Amino acid sequence: MALEVCSKAAAGAPDVLGDCPFTQRVLLTLEEKKVPYTMHLIDVDNKPQWFLDVNPEGKVPVIKIGERWVPDSDVITQIIEEKYPDPSLATPPESTSV
């Protein structure tokens, strides 16, 4: 079952991925872990009502995991790491700074 990801569309090109670094972080995580997903490009200047219904703040990225829509790239990548641990993209404890 593929996850659903809402991503920013490029300005003036609603069928092209936009320049949101937060969305790119989520997409790169999914690609590296080879997790199947379906992408919905969102025109942030003209957000569709269905998108606002599931994500009232209207921010991207947002991902549907199970029946729940989750915003915030930090939270999304953490959930992906926990749900799909291989390969691990987490920073090893010995490499973290204090």
Side-chain angles (χ1 to χ4, degrees):
M1 177 177 178
L3 301 177
E4 293 182 57
V5 182
C6 294
S7 306
K8 178 183 176 185
D15 296 329
V16 175
L17 182 62
D19 61 355
C20 175
F22 304 107
T23 295
Q24 292 170 359
R25 177 180 178 209
V26 169
L27 295 177
L28 285 170
T29 300
L30 291 168
E31 290 290 331
E32 281 295 314
K33 291 180 169 288
K34 296 180 179 23
V35 176
Y37 64 92
T38 301
M39 185 167 42
H40 304 285
L41 293 174
I42 304 298
D43 178 350
V44 295
D45 293 326
N46 187 24
K47 297 171 186 155
Q49 189 58 50
W50 71 264
F51 174 70
L52 294 172
D53 290 343
V54 299
N55 181 26
E57 289 185 26
K59 296 180 181 178
V60 289
V62 65
I63 190 168
K64 185 176 185 184
I65 299 177
E67 294 302 313
R68 188 173 131 219
W69 287 93
V70 178
D72 190 302
S73 63
D74 286 335
V75 174
I76 293 168
T77 54
Q78 181 178 358
I79 290 171
I80 293 168
E81 184 66 33
E82 290 169 4
K83 190 169 173 76
Y84 305 95
D86 294 316
S88 177
L89 300 179
T91 304
E94 64 272 8
S95 299
T96 60
S97 58
V98 252

